[in-house]
Amino acid sequence: MKKIEHQFTIEEYQLEELNATEQSLMHKATTATQLSYSPYSNFKVGCAILLENGETVVGANQENAAYPICLCAEGVALANATANHHKVPIVSMAITIATLNQKVQDPVAPCGLCRQSILEYENRQQKNISIYLKGEGKKVYKVNSIKDLLPLNFSDKDLS
Ligand code: THU
């Protein structure tokens, strides 16, 4: 038996420690939570994406009475980016939430489906995407690549 150890890093910041660009992106993600349609979960997720051309696009989760049809904020934002800014690389993504009782203080991480989806964008553009995660508190987690959140992943390489 052989053990494979995989190291990954999550940087932890307080919101005020981020630079102006990062804080602005996080602020846009927070504002985007208000675009959420989430009458079933009351869990509003907002995502803001910074593109290499300096533009920002946002997305929020869109639910459906048929629950599995729900769209995550990250997926909505990624589709927005690719539809409106074709082939412009993504630099970073900020993801945050808003709940009814504001009790989710710690950063919330993207679901598995979103991680896989972000991985495809990262591989497509052959450039890492920085990801900033925040809950309703001031703590922010940053990873420099989605691979830090999806270490043993499935990608195009497996199909060749
Ligand atoms: N949700 C997201 O928007 N992104 C994630 O990464 C996890 C979950 C949404 C889906 C659903 O509308 C609500 O959060 C509760 O699961």
Side-chain angles (χ1 to χ4, degrees):
M1 193 271 274
K2 184 179 147 195
K3 269 193 188 169
I4 303 169
E5 303 226 342
H6 186 97
Q7 236 198 338
F8 65 95
T9 306
I10 299 176
E11 297 167 16
E12 182 183 316
Y13 297 89
Q14 291 299 307
L15 189 58
E16 305 77 37
E17 288 182 83
L18 299 181
N19 68 33
T21 309
E22 294 167 322
Q23 284 196 40
S24 160
L25 193 67
M26 189 50 84
H27 182 70
K28 285 175 180 161
T30 303
T31 306
T33 59
Q34 297 315 307
L35 304 173
S36 166
Y37 172 69
S38 42
Y40 305 104
S41 70
N42 286 313
F43 193 83
K44 297 177 196 287
V45 186
C47 177
I49 293 180
L50 176 64
L51 301 170
E52 212 171 72
N53 64 7
E55 299 254 12
T56 307
V57 296
V58 297
N61 55 328
Q62 306 297 319
E63 298 188 344
N64 192 288
Y67 296 170
I69 297 175
C70 290
L71 299 172
C72 285
E74 298 89 327
V76 173
L78 288 166
N80 185 355
T82 203
N84 293 299
H85 301 275
H86 188 54
K87 289 191 174 165
V88 182
I90 294 170
V91 176
S92 52
M93 298 176 71
I95 302 159
T96 191
I97 57 144
T99 65
L100 289 179
N101 55 18
Q102 298 189 319
K103 279 193 176 151
V104 186
Q105 292 289 300
D106 280 349
V108 171
C111 75
L113 189 149
C114 290
R115 292 177 201 209
Q116 183 71 28
S117 186
I118 297 166
L119 176 71
E120 188 76 27
Y121 280 81
E122 205 173 87
N123 288 343
R124 246 167 99 171
Q125 65 182 35
Q126 296 186 326
K127 280 181 184 173
N128 284 357
I129 298 173
S130 300
I131 301 169
Y132 298 83
L133 308 171
K134 195 177 90 56
E136 293 168 302
K138 298 259 171 166
K139 195 192 287 179
V140 177
Y141 288 159
K142 179 188 177 195
V143 290
N144 292 310
S145 162
I146 191 62
K147 294 187 185 81
D148 285 335
L149 296 179
L150 203 60
L152 185 63
N153 58 62
F154 180 82
S155 74
D156 57 334
K157 287 178 225 69
D158 298 300
L159 295 173
S160 53

